[in-house]
Amino acid sequence: DTAVSQTPKYLVTQMGNDKSIKCEQNLGHDTMYWYKQDSKKFLKIMFSYNNKELIINETVPNRFSPKSPDKAHLNLHINSLELGDSAVYFCASSHERDPYYGYTFGSGTRLTVV
Amino acid sequence: AQSVTQLGSHVSVSEGALVLLRCNYSSSVPPYLFWYVQYPNQGLQLLLKYTSAATLVKGINGFEAEFKKSETSFHLTKPSAHMSDAAEYFCAVIMDTGRRALTFGSGTRLQVQP
């Protein structure tokens, strides 16, 4: 069973479109995250949710909107896609009270905007 | 602000040789430190973590890291490289205060030559 699963794995879309990436974890964690990995492999946190509450909201364009229907799911919706949004997006989860055990990451969604 | 610096974006070793990947942190309070590995087109896998229990930490796949407070370092080592170790390696930190989000270094690509 996959601990943190993301769909889709690959997403190719045209500029201006709206798309969503879904993430689900079956680890019983209460905190979930979205990270963006750029073409130089640099990883940067975008958002985190704890029990459906937004905790971290980095300086991300407001075209990006996370949504957490429950603590096992964290989706990322992107409006009006731009070329610069092309990247790999990783979902992760952890226990809020024990983040020091590390995060569990999904396998990533490679978004290509053409 | 918390941060980690990885020295060397690319490291190349021969199969069987020692692997040394460098990571230095900047922190005025004890950090929690991690090493993650990313194989091509895959997600991030936790190799090992330092959470103050012991300064020498052993991880998966024969890797280990030593926390040296005097040098503010957490270098990753493996005595003998295998071809299968070729991947991207990330050092990361979580602080015990404030935001407590996992922050990554810029990554080091390890190449293993036959």
Side-chain angles (χ1 to χ4, degrees):
Chain A
D1 286 340
T2 303
V4 180
S5 59
Q6 296 178 228
T7 54
K9 189 171 176 65
Y10 299 97
L11 185 53
V12 181
T13 187
Q14 290 187 328
M15 285 174 55
N17 283 351
D18 302 339
K19 291 293 178 186
S20 292
I21 306 171
K22 295 186 176 183
C23 179
E24 175 181 4
Q25 55 94 5
N26 62 5
L27 297 167
H29 289 164
D30 53 13
T31 306
M32 296 184 72
Y33 312 83
W34 279 111
Y35 279 81
K36 179 180 180 180
Q37 185 175 45
D38 63 22
S39 59
K40 296 184 179 180
K41 300 288 188 182
F42 187 69
L43 282 150
K44 186 172 169 125
I45 190 167
M46 301 172 69
F47 303 103
S48 79
Y49 268 77
N50 174 255
N51 282 320
K52 302 193 295 177
E53 180 183 353
L54 182 64
I55 301 298
I56 294 173
N57 185 355
E58 288 295 288
T59 50
V60 176
N62 58 15
R63 298 182 294 104
F64 289 78
S65 54
K67 285 189 171 46
S68 182
D70 56 60
K71 70 176 186 177
H73 295 83
L74 179 61
N75 304 323
L76 183 65
H77 188 76
I78 316 170
N79 289 327
S80 303
L81 278 154
E82 299 177 358
L83 293 176
D85 297 332
S86 296
V88 181
Y89 293 85
F90 286 101
C91 178
S93 69
S94 72
H95 273 298
E96 193 274 339
R97 66 178 183 277
D98 290 319
Y100 320 112
Y101 283 94
Y103 296 4
T104 302
F105 284 82
S107 57
T109 296
R110 183 175 295 275
L111 171 65
T112 304
V113 183
V114 297
Chain B
Q2 66 191 52
S3 72
V4 287
T5 302
Q6 292 184 242
L7 301 176
S9 58
H10 289 84
V11 170
S12 183
V13 301
S14 299
E15 194 173 18
L18 171 72
V19 175
L20 170 60
L21 304 182
R22 299 178 187 272
C23 174
N24 287 88
Y25 66 92
S26 59
S27 168
S28 59
V29 297
Y32 296 89
L33 293 157
F34 306 80
W35 276 99
Y36 280 82
V37 60
Q38 184 180 23
Y39 297 104
N41 297 316
Q42 294 189 28
L44 293 138
Q45 182 180 6
L46 181 64
L47 271 180
L48 50 80
K49 59 182 181 283
Y50 167 74
T51 57
S52 77
T55 56
L56 182 61
V57 182
K58 293 188 184 298
I60 61 172
N61 302 338
F63 283 93
E64 62 182 36
E66 185 172 7
F67 175 74
K68 291 187 177 180
K69 186 177 179 180
S70 61
E71 299 176 7
T72 61
S73 67
F74 190 58
H75 301 332
L76 182 70
T77 61
K78 182 173 181 177
S80 176
H82 295 167
M83 296 296 290
S84 60
D85 294 327
E88 192 87 22
Y89 291 81
F90 294 93
C91 184
V93 64
I94 292 178
M95 299 304 298
D96 196 23
T97 58
R99 198 179 68 174
R100 302 201 303 178
L102 191 64
T103 301
F104 287 89
S106 54
T108 298
R109 172 159 293 182
L110 175 65
Q111 290 182 311
V112 182
Q113 308 290 344

